[in-house]
Amino acid sequence: MQKFLLILTLIVLTGGSVQALPPVDWRFSAFPLRTVFHAPDTEGTNLVLKVERVGNMPVTPNGFLACGPDGTPITLRVVSTAGTEVVLILEAPRSGSRPCAVYYGAIPSNEPAHSPVASVDQTPVAVGFVSLQGRGIPTSWERLRHMLKTPPSQIRTPFEVSSFSEMDQALAQRDAKKEAEKETKSKKERHRNKAGVQVAVGRSYLLCPREGAYRFALDCRDAGFVVVDDELVAAWPGEHEPKTWQLGAPVSLKAGVHRVEVFNAFDSGEPDFRAGWMPPGGTEVLPLAVPDLIASREATDARAEKMNRTLQPGFTTTPVQAYSFRGNSAVFMAMRFTDTTENWMTSKRNSLWRFGDGTQSEEPNPIHVYKAANIFKATLEVRDTLGFVASYSGSVDSRQMQPEEFAVSFELAGLPAVCLGRDQVVPRLRIEGQVPANVALDVNWEIHFRSGVVNQGHQEVVPQGKAQFISLAPVIVDELETLRWSVQHRQVQVGGELIKFVRPPFGILPTRVEGDRLYAADNTRLVLVPGEGLSVSRHMTPIPVQSLDRLVCIDDTLAIKGLIEPGYETFDRILARLLTGRIEEVRYAALPDWGQFPESYGSLRKLVDVPAALKRERADIAILSIGLKDILEVKDVDFFERQAAALSDIVATSMNLRMVWVTPPPYPSDPDRSRVFAAAIRRVAESRGIPVADLFTVFSCVADRRHVFFKENPLMMSDQGHRLAGQQIVRALMGE
């Protein structure tokens, strides 16, 4: 008790310093600083250890003293003093779960014997092998990373070799462990009989002597990649001339130690790979080997401590999960932060975490999700019950985490692409897919009414395979201005869209059909609301034909390819002949077949393709003979009528063109089917004062219809049928 009071008194007098009474396990009191770390349970393995350079601390060999858990000296070597870090190489003994320590910060006056110098690591490359599922060499870095996410088998204890070009030796060691080598088969024969693709993965730490632009190179038989600090710096997929280097682009690296990894994918034989580099100012590629490669491992759970402080903050990070959503560029990296703080006076404390991305937490050991692959500087600030405060900062590299992709789909259903103002709709957001455990998605929506009222809503969902629906309140289309919905995860939008309800004259026209939805050029989703009972305008009166007019026939019904007899005069040519001297030019434009757009609901294509064709042909007058594909494939005539109304409003009011509708003729195979579509066109045209060439009625009144259609193909009009169609269109143009 007296000792505790004495320490407490000294702390109060020195502001937390305990210079006179270092902790019991502080083995070398002449050194004011130390870094405590763990070494892998492999005797003789060289380790990379980075310590912070504080003030003017000496960085000579006798300025550091390392020892194991039992005080046994550890050999070390200073390899880099660039910037604010000092990089040491330690030849660490087996330590298990017990920590080792490096003492530094001063050179004692009595000049104690410094640590013996660590020898150069002759096997600084750790090599492991992964067997990939399926066949085929991954010829891109993205594909290889994807295939490595869930490997079926992997050597967890890497083999140590001297350079990347000796990875075949590690493969031989691996096979020797798995089975005794048979004398009747050569090593190459054994490998050749193995099925599937293998990947040799080599890892090491590279010492860059100075800052500058470095170029990395590789030479391999199949596909290979070189990665430095998780950035791809060289790649060579596919076959090439042997014994030639493939140089990557220059990369800027600071002086010091950098992690380097190589990946060689092969499907037979042995790894045939070598890696090299071209340092700043160099003109030739040099192999990456000792002494450029200094070690294969890095010390773990390192925490810096000060002898004159009772509160020694520190933390470690462990990757938990990295995930992304298909079709979205955002990547989420979940990292577990573990508080490793030591307090020589009391174990009770409060923690404040700052994760380096603008967020913070007061949880003891939080799991934080980063929303970018980057290096972040995280800080832990600790305050104990005695009032002492200390902080520790460390780098968190989220780039090392390989994300798992989850497929989640979002679709707002229940909202047709074309609606009448009086329609009542119930939009429903459909969410389906799988997300990681304990991951929730935030769904938000905002409805703007034409009256100025705004309705907002929010719901949290956790997709787990089955489709989930979020139904919005029933609304009348004529009351709507815009509807916006979004799906977010941790303030990052992973889905959503803006929907605009547009009315004639349409200020925005659709340019793309995706499924049963219309989109503008800026990816805004459109719902067209055509007018009902519009008054006759100057665009819809009978057309006073003048010279200099260009008439364009947009057709998918009368003269499309495959439905005309060779040598026959089609209706558009008949139009041109009958209108000679009145129309400057008659042009024909066939609508593309729906089969060319499998991603689109074909019936909606007319709302995109017709305006595009009229604009391309620079039309003054539009003749629309559209409907055969709809007759053959569309079940809902009411849906077709609404599309025809929207198309009429686009051409007449938005494009400012005069137009004539043409009804489909009564095809002999199913004249009643043609009748309902013809009636829909007449209703649309009459409500807008648009002239109609009513082929259905005219063809139905022909006394002998045998000469109007061919018996062999009842969808194909004869020469007489084309003449009759041309005459009727001319009459509609003249207002007869």
Side-chain angles (χ1 to χ4, degrees):
M1 184 65 181
Q2 291 179 345
K3 182 178 180 180
F4 174 80
L5 292 175
L6 177 58
I7 294 176
L8 181 60
T9 302
L10 289 171
I11 292 173
V12 173
L13 292 175
T14 61
S17 299
V18 287
Q19 298 172 356
L21 292 173
V24 175
D25 67 343
W26 199 283
R27 294 182 178 276
F28 305 101
S29 58
F31 292 94
L33 307 173
R34 74 177 180 184
T35 292
V36 179
F37 64 95
H38 287 80
D41 195 16
T42 305
E43 188 172 358
T45 299
N46 276 14
L47 299 173
V48 172
L49 176 66
K50 300 175 182 178
V51 301
E52 183 182 3
R53 187 171 188 173
V54 180
N56 296 320
M57 58 175 266
V59 292
T60 57
N62 60 340
F64 297 88
L65 190 59
C67 65
D70 57 357
T72 304
I74 298 176
T75 60
L76 63 81
R77 176 161 49 98
V78 179
V79 296
S80 175
T81 59
T84 60
E85 282 186 337
V86 178
V87 181
L88 307 176
I89 291 294
L90 301 103
E91 191 173 312
R94 293 178 180 270
S95 66
S97 61
R98 297 177 298 165
C100 305
V102 172
Y103 293 82
Y104 54 94
I107 298 180
S109 57
N110 55 357
E111 291 286 337
H114 58 75
S115 296
V117 176
S119 60
V120 174
D121 194 342
Q122 297 300 322
T123 56
V125 179
V127 180
F129 295 89
V130 178
S131 297
L132 301 180
Q133 293 179 335
R135 296 181 180 273
I137 298 294
T139 56
S140 70
W141 175 235
E142 292 73 18
R143 185 184 175 199
L144 177 61
R145 287 180 56 159
H146 176 75
M147 296 176 74
L148 287 173
K149 289 177 184 176
T150 55
S153 62
Q154 184 172 2
I155 303 301
R156 297 187 180 278
T157 303
F159 299 95
E160 308 289 340
V161 296
S162 60
S163 67
F164 296 117
S165 62
E166 296 180 0
M167 291 191 295
D168 59 334
Q169 298 180 9
L171 182 62
Q173 296 178 50
R174 185 198 73 170
D175 288 342
K177 278 189 173 184
K178 296 177 68 175
E179 59 180 357
E181 184 174 351
K182 297 180 180 180
E183 296 181 359
T184 57
K185 285 188 177 183
S186 68
K187 183 169 59 176
K188 289 187 177 181
E189 288 174 335
R190 293 198 325 276
H191 296 321
R192 193 174 296 114
N193 292 333
K194 294 182 181 295
V197 177
Q198 297 188 76
V199 180
V201 183
R203 294 183 172 91
S204 185
Y205 284 86
L206 173 67
L207 178 63
C208 293
R210 61 186 181 277
E211 183 175 354
Y214 291 78
R215 298 187 71 179
F216 291 85
L218 74 162
D219 172 29
C220 61
R221 185 182 65 241
D222 293 318
F225 308 90
V226 180
V227 177
V228 175
D229 292 339
D230 293 297
E231 297 292 337
L232 184 67
V233 296
W236 200 346
E239 298 181 358
H240 57 275
E241 291 294 327
K243 305 304 179 184
T244 57
W245 288 108
Q246 170 68 21
L247 269 172
V251 291
S252 179
L253 296 177
K254 294 183 178 180
V257 174
H258 300 269
R259 185 175 64 255
V260 58
E261 300 171 285
V262 304
F263 300 82
N264 179 211
F266 58 99
D267 59 3
S268 64
E270 302 171 348
D272 186 4
F273 186 96
R274 59 178 181 149
W277 68 337
M278 187 183 293
T283 57
E284 61 178 328
V285 177
L286 306 175
L288 282 175
V290 180
D292 304 318
L293 303 177
I294 56 175
S296 61
R297 301 171 187 258
E298 185 172 7
T300 61
D301 301 339
R303 183 184 67 251
E305 296 182 349
K306 297 180 180 180
M307 185 178 66
N308 66 340
R309 294 286 179 179
T310 63
L311 193 57
Q312 309 291 347
F315 64 80
T316 61
T317 58
T318 306
V320 177
Q321 186 177 27
Y323 55 94
S324 62
F325 299 105
R326 185 174 300 170
N328 191 281
S329 60
V331 179
F332 304 91
M333 279 74 61
M335 191 80 68
R336 184 187 303 277
F337 286 78
T338 303
D339 187 347
T340 60
T341 299
E342 292 286 343
N343 195 327
W344 303 332
M345 298 298 298
T346 176
S347 60
K348 296 181 179 180
R349 59 183 182 271
N350 296 321
S351 302
L352 175 62
W353 300 86
R354 295 184 176 89
F355 299 111
D357 60 355
T359 62
Q360 61 186 42
S361 172
E362 295 182 1
E363 298 180 35
N365 297 293
I367 294 179
H368 179 65
V369 177
Y370 287 102
K371 293 173 285 190
N374 207 337
I375 299 177
F376 299 91
K377 184 178 181 180
T379 301
L380 169 62
E381 183 180 286
V382 183
R383 181 184 299 270
D384 65 16
T385 54
L386 299 176
F388 298 125
V389 180
S391 63
Y392 171 77
S393 297
S395 295
V396 181
D397 192 350
S398 65
R399 300 174 304 173
Q400 302 180 42
M401 305 174 68
Q402 298 296 325
E404 180 180 358
E405 187 178 76
F406 289 84
V408 185
S409 62
F410 316 101
E411 180 182 3
L412 190 71
L415 192 61
V418 181
C419 297
L420 296 180
R422 62 176 181 271
D423 292 342
Q424 184 184 68
V425 294
V426 184
R428 295 197 310 163
L429 183 62
R430 184 179 189 271
I431 303 175
E432 185 176 10
Q434 195 80 20
V435 297
N438 302 318
V439 168
L441 303 178
D442 296 313
V443 180
N444 300 278
W445 61 90
E446 189 175 272
I447 304 175
H448 288 252
F449 292 87
R450 300 176 74 183
S451 64
V453 174
V454 178
N455 285 351
Q456 296 178 323
H458 169 80
Q459 187 170 327
E460 188 177 274
V461 297
V462 181
Q464 292 299 329
K466 293 183 178 181
Q468 301 181 52
F469 293 89
I470 299 176
S471 295
L472 283 60
V475 288
I476 302 299
V477 171
D478 198 46
E479 300 175 355
L480 299 176
E481 189 73 33
T482 62
L483 188 158
R484 184 188 296 273
W485 64 270
S486 67
V487 180
Q488 295 184 333
H489 176 57
R490 294 187 176 272
Q491 291 78 52
V492 174
Q493 182 165 315
V494 296
E497 62 183 354
L498 171 65
I499 304 170
K500 291 185 177 180
F501 297 81
V502 292
R503 298 163 179 83
F506 302 116
I508 307 175
L509 294 181
T511 59
R512 186 176 91 253
V513 182
E514 187 174 309
D516 60 353
R517 302 175 298 278
L518 293 170
Y519 290 91
D522 62 357
N523 292 323
T524 299
R525 180 173 168 182
L526 301 179
V527 174
L528 304 184
V529 187
E532 296 183 71
L534 293 180
S535 59
V536 176
S537 70
R538 67 181 185 88
H539 304 290
M540 302 175 186
T541 56
I543 300 171
V545 179
Q546 303 172 357
S547 57
L548 302 181
D549 284 331
R550 174 174 292 185
L551 186 149
V552 177
C553 301
I554 307 294
D555 177 48
D556 75 348
T557 300
L558 304 180
I560 59 176
K561 187 177 181 181
L563 295 182
I564 53 175
E565 186 75 9
Y568 278 14
E569 189 179 28
T570 56
F571 81 98
D572 58 302
R573 294 299 90 201
I574 294 171
L575 273 175
R577 178 164 50 80
L578 295 176
L579 294 172
T580 300
R582 299 182 179 183
I583 293 290
E584 181 187 69
E585 184 179 7
V586 175
R587 307 198 65 172
Y588 177 86
L591 291 181
D593 187 79
W594 294 356
Q596 300 179 28
F597 308 95
E599 78 287 352
S600 302
Y601 183 66
S603 182
L604 287 174
R605 293 294 318 176
K606 65 174 73 73
L607 298 173
V608 172
D609 294 336
V610 169
L614 292 173
K615 184 177 181 181
R616 182 177 63 250
E617 302 293 343
R618 303 192 306 278
D620 299 307
I621 303 173
I623 307 297
L624 303 185
S625 54
I626 299 171
L628 176 57
K629 291 288 289 184
D630 298 273
I631 292 173
L632 296 175
E633 299 187 24
V634 175
K635 305 298 183 183
D636 190 346
V637 178
D638 183 63
F639 186 46
F640 169 80
E641 183 171 344
R642 292 169 186 237
Q643 293 177 6
L647 180 59
S648 300
D649 292 346
I650 288 175
V651 175
T653 66
S654 299
M655 302 188 72
N656 201 28
L657 298 180
R658 301 183 181 278
M659 60 184 297
V660 171
W661 266 108
V662 180
T663 63
Y667 296 107
S669 58
D670 192 353
D672 289 337
R673 184 72 173 158
S674 301
R675 177 181 289 108
V676 293
F677 280 86
I681 289 175
R682 285 195 299 268
R683 286 192 295 269
V684 169
E686 289 169 4
S687 69
R688 290 159 171 76
I690 299 174
V692 178
D694 192 356
L695 298 191
F696 180 86
T697 301
V698 172
F699 277 43
S700 298
C701 295
V702 173
D704 185 1
R705 277 186 279 169
R706 290 178 301 173
H707 301 296
V708 177
F709 294 99
F710 285 98
K711 291 182 179 180
E712 295 78 5
N713 186 346
L715 298 179
M716 182 185 296
M717 290 198 317
S718 66
D719 187 49
Q720 179 181 342
H722 279 283
R723 288 198 303 272
L724 190 55
Q727 293 167 3
Q728 288 304 118
I729 294 173
V730 170
R731 290 191 179 99
L733 280 168
M734 300 303 171
E736 298 178 3

